[in-house]
Amino acid sequence: MRLSRVITLGLALAVAGAGAMAEPARVVSINLCTDQLAMLLAAPGQLVSVSDLAADPVSSAMADEARSYPVNHARAEEVYLLHPDLVLAGRYTARATVDMLRRTGIEVVEFAPANSLSDTRDRIAQMAALLGREAEGAALIARFDADLAALQAASGDAPRAALYHPNGYTLGAGTLANDILRAGGFANVAAELGHHGGGTLPLEALVMAAPDLLISAETLPGASRSEEVLVHPALEDLRASHAALRIASPDWICGTPHLLGAVEGLVAVRQTLDGAGR
């Protein structure tokens, strides 16, 4: 065989091998949102550990499923000892851990936060590609789109909703919560007032905006000064004269199909408001 043919054959085999690269066999997730995406898409035995937040029902929409996996605390030493060939992280996950793992030669892929329903589809596709589960990812996206279409809110003028959490925290335009509100048939008061991203909404501005629906997270066990604003008399008066909704936050946090639970709850409230003539 001539040398040129040997080189050509070698290049062809190398290209073929790159195209058929095996999916990772030992995957560790150290971020709440990648935890859930990986649990939804990983092959049996492929995901070997999720973060401790994944098993926390206050934060995770898949807390029950997460209890089937060993948990980690996003510390470089414990993750390294799991011998992963892929680590999944968020863009803002434990920077020291991410940097240290990369210095040891471990592949770490960072996921950007989902700020819209469209981002959610992208994150599902990204995870599916990393895990070699493209078919499962496409099926999950198709199911997500079909379920979302079935939840379409009524047309017409959208009632106005305000998200109001401890310390007066709210979410405006350019956030996943804003897109969830829109999908559920509501306009976002914070976006209306010029807020982009997360930030503080003064109580006076909230009361003067007089939203049709006030959405607050369920209070946590124990006492917290940050939650005092949620029981302010002015806010109680607002709840008494307008619709109010207490929510558990897991469905609102990550760009996964579980956010459809939040949309479904909003659609039900929208129907009640429309039926009452607002």
Side-chain angles (χ1 to χ4, degrees), residues 134-205:
E134 288 87 347
E136 290 77 7
L140 187 59
I141 292 170
R143 205 156 58 242
F144 173 75
D145 286 339
D147 291 344
L148 179 61
L151 288 172
Q152 285 297 325
S155 57
D157 293 338
R160 300 159 61 251
L163 292 157
Y164 208 65
H165 299 309
N167 283 328
Y169 187 77
T170 192
L171 291 154
T175 64
L176 181 60
N178 184 67
D179 235 20
I180 290 172
L181 286 174
R182 291 171 58 190
F186 286 86
N188 186 354
V189 165
E192 175 187 296
L193 294 175
H195 286 257
H196 194 281
T200 300
L201 178 64
L203 179 60
E204 296 85 352

Side-chain angles (χ1 to χ4, degrees), residues 7-272:
I7 293 173
T8 301
L9 179 59
L11 288 172
L13 289 172
V15 171
M21 188 176 294
E23 62 272 7
R26 293 185 61 81
V27 179
V28 173
S29 173
I30 59 174
N31 170 267
L32 174 64
C33 296
T34 58
D35 291 335
Q36 295 174 74
L37 288 170
M39 285 190 284
L40 286 167
L41 289 166
Q46 188 178 30
L47 180 64
V48 299
S49 179
V50 295
S51 79
D52 57 326
L53 287 176
D56 180 0
V58 173
S59 303
S60 173
M62 298 182 68
D64 291 339
E65 293 87 340
R67 295 189 183 101
S68 300
Y69 297 87
V71 301
N72 65 76
H73 302 84
R75 292 192 290 261
E77 298 87 344
E78 63 178 340
V79 173
Y80 180 83
L81 291 173
L82 291 169
H83 306 293
D85 48 12
L86 176 64
V87 173
L88 305 168
R91 180 172 289 172
Y92 306 106
T93 300
R95 301 312 310 164
T97 294
V98 169
D99 293 342
M100 190 175 295
L101 290 173
R102 282 178 171 156
R103 286 199 297 272
T104 67
I106 294 174
E107 182 181 7
V108 182
V109 176
E110 298 174 71
F111 280 63
N115 292 321
S116 67
L117 299 183
S118 179
D119 283 352
T120 297
R121 298 182 186 92
D122 293 343
R123 300 301 172 272
I124 293 171
Q126 180 184 2
M127 182 64 74
L130 283 171
L131 300 181
R133 305 278 286 173
E134 288 87 347
E136 290 77 7
L140 187 59
I141 292 170
R143 205 156 58 242
F144 173 75
D145 286 339
D147 291 344
L148 179 61
L151 288 172
Q152 285 297 325
S155 57
D157 293 338
R160 300 159 61 251
L163 292 157
Y164 208 65
H165 299 309
N167 283 328
Y169 187 77
T170 192
L171 291 154
T175 64
L176 181 60
N178 184 67
D179 235 20
I180 290 172
L181 286 174
R182 291 171 58 190
F186 286 86
N188 186 354
V189 165
E192 175 187 296
L193 294 175
H195 286 257
H196 194 281
T200 300
L201 178 64
L203 179 60
E204 296 85 352
L206 173 66
V207 172
M208 291 179 64
D212 299 296
L213 174 65
L214 178 64
I215 303 172
S216 298
E218 292 282 1
T219 55
L220 299 176
S224 169
R225 292 180 64 183
S226 69
E227 293 179 338
E228 285 298 308
V229 68
L230 300 181
V231 293
H232 191 283
L235 211 55
E236 293 298 332
D237 289 345
L238 188 62
R239 288 193 182 98
S241 57
H242 296 74
L245 179 65
R246 290 281 191 177
I247 60 169
S249 59
D251 291 345
W252 292 74
I253 294 174
C254 293
T256 78
H258 290 286
L259 63 79
L260 294 175
V263 176
E264 184 176 13
L266 290 170
V267 169
V269 175
R270 167 77 191 266
Q271 291 171 346
T272 299

